[in-house]
Amino acid sequence: MIDKAKLDENLTTEALLERLLALRADVIRVANDWLDSYQDSFSSASAGKSARNFAHYLALRSEDIRPLQGLLARHGLSSLGRNEPHVLAGLDRVIQMLAYYSGRQVQLPYQSYCSIDEGFRALEQNTRELFGDKYYARSSYIMVTLPSKAGDDPTLIRSLLESGMDIARINCAHDGPEAWLRMIEFIRHEEQKLGKACRIQMDLAGHKIRTGRLAKREPVLKLRPQRNYLGRVLSPATIDLIAEPSPEAANGINTMPGTSTGAVTDTDLTTPPKLSLPEEIIDAIQPGDRLVMLDARGSKRSLYVTDTIPGRARANTYKTLYMTPDVQLTLQRRSISGIKWHDLRKGIYCGGFVDQPVKIRLMTGDALLLTRDDKPGQPAQYDPSGTVQMPARISCSIPQIIDRLDIGQPVWIDDGKIGAKVASVDSNGALLQITHCNPRGSVLAEEKGLNFPGLDLGLPPLSDQDYQDLDFVARHADLVALSFAESRRDVEHLAEQLRIRGVNNPGIIAKIETEAGVVNLPDILLGSIDRYRIGVMIARGDLAVEIGGERLAEIQEELLWLCEAAHVPVVWATQVLEKLAKQGTASRPELTDAAMAGRAECVMLNKGPHIISAVITLKGILQRMQEHQSKKISRLRALRLAHLRKKGRPLAAGCGKY
């Protein structure tokens, strides 16, 4: 007697087998079409196994196989959801199982592909070739962006290496060859002392599409004491007065290095601002003296001298004051009786002020003119009735981009803090309408990034500055990161420039930070994986601005899958433990983000005052998470809670440290 349930299962298994055989044929056919288009990119007559596996993955993911996945899972078979490193091998394994269950003999047409073991080994080997041998017992490398101070502080380099840094990142958009060389020399020296290798990645700056300079206004230094909620002074505001040998008494402006605060906001309670006075005044000042003035608002204010050392005096104020270069001070000293103050010197001017930019505050609905010229930016101008006579304006560092703008083109400024759309374009520039900003208004600063999502900027892969920097980079860098990589031609051009400079097997990191880079990632990978030591950086900052923050989570997953299928290592970058590195405390969301980052081969931290703590924290998170997760695969390490229940111990008490 035939068991009906068994019969139905056999029929379903047979149908599944036919569907998988058809899927296999389609995958091979579509993959071969992909590979035929890239024959000129392969180092040999045919594609290598990594390129072939990647083509198989592109072919597999060109269809929606979710219904098929559900049927496979119900039969206790692989649902093909974790086969990125070995696409066809995984598919064939399921076909063989279904054939066995169906009692059929299936002869699969030969196709060269990565076995399951070869797929895992290929990704691991490519990762080691790019990032170096592992020093720590964790699967993901840690990359750290070096701050400018690393060029003057070898102890910082040593601390980073001891804490867990595997790769040092130098951003060519900052500092210069002399500072870069000092950083590299410190790294090589500490490598020898610690017996630990550290790769050096140098990021080419690319085309800096930024806002231009702002007009300057009269500098103002604000001193404000700290008060409690009742307005009572808890501690006075403090200022350091430094001797200036040759002050400009006419206006007090001086740009002597080390004396300028550049401050326009409240006084930093830990580092007093500095201004300069004529040397003879500093020599004459004694503790207990005071400097009186009518400040910039016409309010009578005093600075009380508390300490003096040669060439310097420190003074306090218990009232808020505003100082500008044209404020005159009078040095006074108490009489012997201590009742009256006597003038010792009048008409004193402070120096050390630095011109400060005007402030452009933008609200939703405001207009902003993005100009073709390089004139300093200005805030909007109003008539007496409050009507705008001239909108705020600021220049674009690459003005030819304005010619490519169409009405309605979105524009994002300062990493997405300000959003706008193009309202019109004329000979003066592009008039933008602000669509997104802080509810209380956003301040537009100079040298902030401009993003034009979806727009073909028509720029070459490398900027003029990149070509100059490459002379240094080719001699010193282990890895070269290409900003705004958008096609295989971009990568080929960089590789050719490195070859010209004597680098024949470059380690190249393609930074994916635009929508075009995402769309063209298959082109970048198929054109590179058989030719160069290639890696991909998911530059989530610019990428979020380009594609929208709500799409970033989805896209970064797809980029991880694509690179795993190509056996290409990934750098997970931008704002990992950002608050911890900059402020010293980590938020819960960024801790979760750091845990998710462990699915990439390398995780990048940005610079900050607390970067050592960030490295140590990230190292701990990565070491813990690798016990639970490897790429998309959950690793079923024994759970302590389940282990305790198995031993019959209560879960509520005596569990110990989990």
Side-chain angles (χ1 to χ4, degrees):
M1 184 175 179
I2 299 175
D3 184 84
K4 188 174 185 301
K6 185 69 173 176
L7 180 62
D8 290 342
E9 182 180 347
N10 283 337
L11 289 173
T12 304
T13 303
E14 183 73 25
L16 273 175
L17 178 59
E18 292 299 329
R19 291 189 64 178
L20 283 181
L21 288 171
L23 177 62
R24 184 185 194 272
D26 286 343
V27 165
I28 293 173
R29 176 180 55 80
V30 175
N32 287 337
D33 289 342
W34 273 99
L35 296 172
D36 288 344
S37 302
Y38 287 85
Q39 285 298 326
D40 60 332
S41 297
F42 303 136
S43 55
S44 60
S46 61
K49 287 189 175 182
S50 292
R52 193 166 293 278
N53 186 74
F54 183 55
H56 290 151
Y57 186 72
L58 293 173
L60 178 69
R61 296 306 304 271
S62 65
E63 296 187 24
D64 186 351
I65 62 171
R66 286 176 294 177
L68 183 59
Q69 284 185 293
L71 292 171
L72 291 170
R74 280 196 288 273
H75 282 76
L77 297 170
S78 168
S79 61
L80 309 176
R82 295 187 290 270
N83 285 344
E84 279 79 5
H86 44 260
V87 176
L88 215 55
L91 184 58
D92 282 2
R93 184 67 59 88
V94 177
I95 289 174
Q96 290 164 0
M97 295 297 292
L98 283 171
Y100 175 78
Y101 294 149
S102 303
R104 284 182 53 183
Q105 294 290 329
V106 174
Q107 186 68 35
L108 296 175
Y110 172 76
Q111 175 69 34
S112 174
Y113 58 73
C114 278
S115 68
I116 293 176
D117 289 338
E118 287 175 328
F120 288 123
R121 283 200 302 268
L123 178 56
E124 182 177 354
Q125 179 180 345
N126 291 340
T127 301
R128 287 182 179 273
E129 288 181 356
L130 196 64
F131 298 143
D133 291 332
K134 283 188 172 68
Y135 184 79
Y136 297 98
R138 51 180 156 77
S139 56
S140 296
Y141 295 74
I142 294 177
M143 178 187 296
V144 179
T145 302
L146 297 183
S148 298
K149 64 178 291 188
D152 301 308
D153 186 3
T155 59
L156 173 61
I157 298 293
R158 184 178 183 87
S159 296
L160 286 170
L161 289 169
E162 290 176 333
S163 300
M165 178 179 71
D166 303 294
I167 304 164
R169 173 177 177 260
I170 296 174
N171 188 352
C172 293
H174 303 289
D175 305 310
E178 291 184 2
W180 303 338
L181 184 58
R182 290 196 300 271
M183 294 177 192
I184 293 169
E185 289 176 343
F186 290 155
I187 291 170
R188 298 309 184 207
H189 178 70
E190 295 299 333
E191 279 182 320
Q192 296 295 321
K193 292 176 65 175
L194 296 174
K196 176 189 181 301
C198 177
R199 292 284 167 96
I200 295 172
Q201 173 176 308
M202 299 192 71
D203 289 34
L204 299 175
H207 297 278
K208 300 179 184 179
I209 310 174
R210 300 184 182 276
T211 56
R213 58 197 174 97
L214 293 172
K216 303 300 181 182
R217 62 171 175 80
E218 183 182 26
V220 179
L221 175 63
K222 178 182 177 182
L223 297 177
R224 185 175 68 176
Q226 186 180 12
R227 301 176 185 271
N228 64 11
Y229 70 100
L230 294 175
R232 296 171 181 164
V233 174
L234 297 176
S235 61
T238 302
I239 184 171
D240 283 342
L241 302 169
I242 298 174
E244 175 191 355
S246 302
E248 295 178 18
N251 57 17
I253 296 176
N254 177 265
T255 56
M256 183 171 61
T259 64
S260 169
T261 65
V264 69
T265 56
D266 300 342
T267 308
D268 187 330
L269 297 177
T270 58
T271 306
K274 300 176 181 65
L275 289 177
S276 58
L277 290 176
E279 188 174 24
E280 64 271 18
I281 300 297
I282 292 293
D283 291 342
I285 287 178
Q286 297 178 9
D289 292 350
R290 73 177 183 181
L291 292 156
V292 298
M293 72 193 83
L294 291 178
D295 75 354
R297 300 171 300 169
S299 300
K300 186 174 181 180
R301 293 291 183 261
S302 298
L303 290 171
Y304 296 92
V305 179
T306 59
D307 300 286
T308 61
I309 59 174
R312 182 184 295 254
R314 174 163 289 184
N316 292 337
T317 180
Y318 293 85
K319 294 183 179 181
T320 301
L321 65 82
Y322 293 80
M323 295 184 67
T324 58
D326 58 358
V327 170
Q328 295 186 45
L329 292 79
T330 298
L331 176 61
Q332 295 183 338
R333 184 170 296 161
R334 285 187 186 274
S335 62
I336 296 176
S337 64
I339 298 175
K340 293 184 178 181
W341 291 91
H342 296 288
D343 295 344
L344 298 181
R345 177 79 176 266
K346 294 183 178 181
I348 304 169
Y349 290 91
C350 278
F353 290 93
V354 171
D355 288 338
Q356 296 158 4
V358 297
K359 183 175 289 188
I360 299 178
R361 184 175 293 275
L362 298 171
M363 306 290 292
T364 300
D366 284 352
L368 173 67
L369 182 63
L370 190 64
T371 66
R372 300 173 187 272
D373 58 43
D374 62 351
K375 293 180 180 178
Q378 296 278 2
Q381 297 180 16
Y382 300 86
D383 64 16
S385 66
T387 303
V388 176
Q389 292 295 300
M390 183 177 294
R393 55 182 288 148
I394 198 163
S395 62
C396 176
S397 60
I398 305 181
Q400 59 265 36
I401 288 174
I402 294 175
D403 294 328
R404 293 178 169 264
L405 298 179
D406 292 322
I407 295 175
Q409 167 69 44
V411 181
W412 291 95
I413 307 171
D414 192 7
D415 292 332
K417 294 182 178 67
I418 302 173
K421 286 191 175 180
V422 176
S424 63
V425 180
D426 59 22
S427 58
N428 294 318
L431 186 65
L432 311 180
Q433 182 179 23
I434 304 303
T435 59
H436 173 87
C437 64
N438 188 292
R440 296 184 178 181
S442 296
V443 175
L444 177 65
E446 54 192 16
E447 289 295 314
K448 295 300 180 181
L450 288 166
N451 292 86
F452 305 88
L455 180 67
D456 179 7
L457 301 177
L459 298 173
L462 302 177
S463 68
D464 292 341
Q465 186 61 50
D466 290 338
Y467 286 109
Q468 296 180 34
D469 293 342
L470 269 175
D471 294 335
F472 181 96
V473 170
R475 293 195 303 271
H476 298 284
D478 301 304
L479 305 170
V480 184
L482 175 63
S483 297
F484 306 104
E486 294 187 338
S487 72
R488 65 166 168 163
R489 302 302 179 196
D490 294 348
V491 177
E492 289 172 346
H493 183 75
L494 173 59
E496 175 61 18
Q497 291 301 314
L498 289 169
R499 188 193 64 78
I500 292 172
R501 291 163 174 81
V503 182
N504 295 316
N505 187 25
I508 295 175
I509 304 295
K511 296 173 67 174
I512 305 302
E513 42 197 330
T514 65
E515 186 173 7
V518 172
V519 172
N520 293 328
L521 184 59
D523 177 60
I524 293 172
L525 294 181
L526 278 174
S528 304
I529 53 181
D530 267 2
R531 304 165 69 185
Y532 317 118
R533 291 184 297 128
I534 187 77
V536 165
M537 177 181 284
I538 307 177
R540 301 185 301 164
D542 278 296
L543 189 56
V545 176
E546 286 280 328
I547 65 176
E550 67 278 4
R551 289 189 61 204
L552 178 63
E554 172 192 8
I555 294 300
Q556 68 185 13
E557 293 298 306
E558 294 187 8
L559 297 180
L560 282 171
W561 302 337
L562 288 167
C563 291
E564 185 181 5
H567 308 144
V568 168
V570 172
V571 181
W572 180 287
T574 313
Q575 292 186 322
V576 179
L577 297 179
E578 187 89 350
K579 186 179 177 185
L580 176 57
K582 292 188 174 178
Q583 300 178 25
T585 58
S587 66
R588 285 184 291 273
E590 71 178 12
L591 290 171
T592 303
D593 177 65
M596 295 290 287
R599 294 170 302 150
E601 284 67 40
C602 181
V603 185
M604 189 192 92
L605 292 172
N606 232 322
K607 54 194 175 185
H610 307 280
I611 185 60
I612 302 298
S613 295
V615 173
I616 293 171
T617 300
L618 179 60
K619 180 174 67 173
I621 291 172
L622 294 176
Q623 288 174 339
R624 287 175 177 271
M625 287 307 299
Q626 70 186 10
E627 300 297 322
H628 301 281
Q629 191 82 22
S630 176
K631 289 294 189 180
K632 291 165 64 177
I633 301 173
S634 295
R635 307 180 70 181
L636 302 183
R637 190 199 72 173
L639 294 177
R640 180 174 293 275
L641 293 177
H643 185 62
L644 292 175
R645 175 62 76 188
K646 181 179 179 181
K647 289 188 173 184
R649 292 173 57 186
L651 298 181
C655 290
K657 187 176 180 181
Y658 182 73

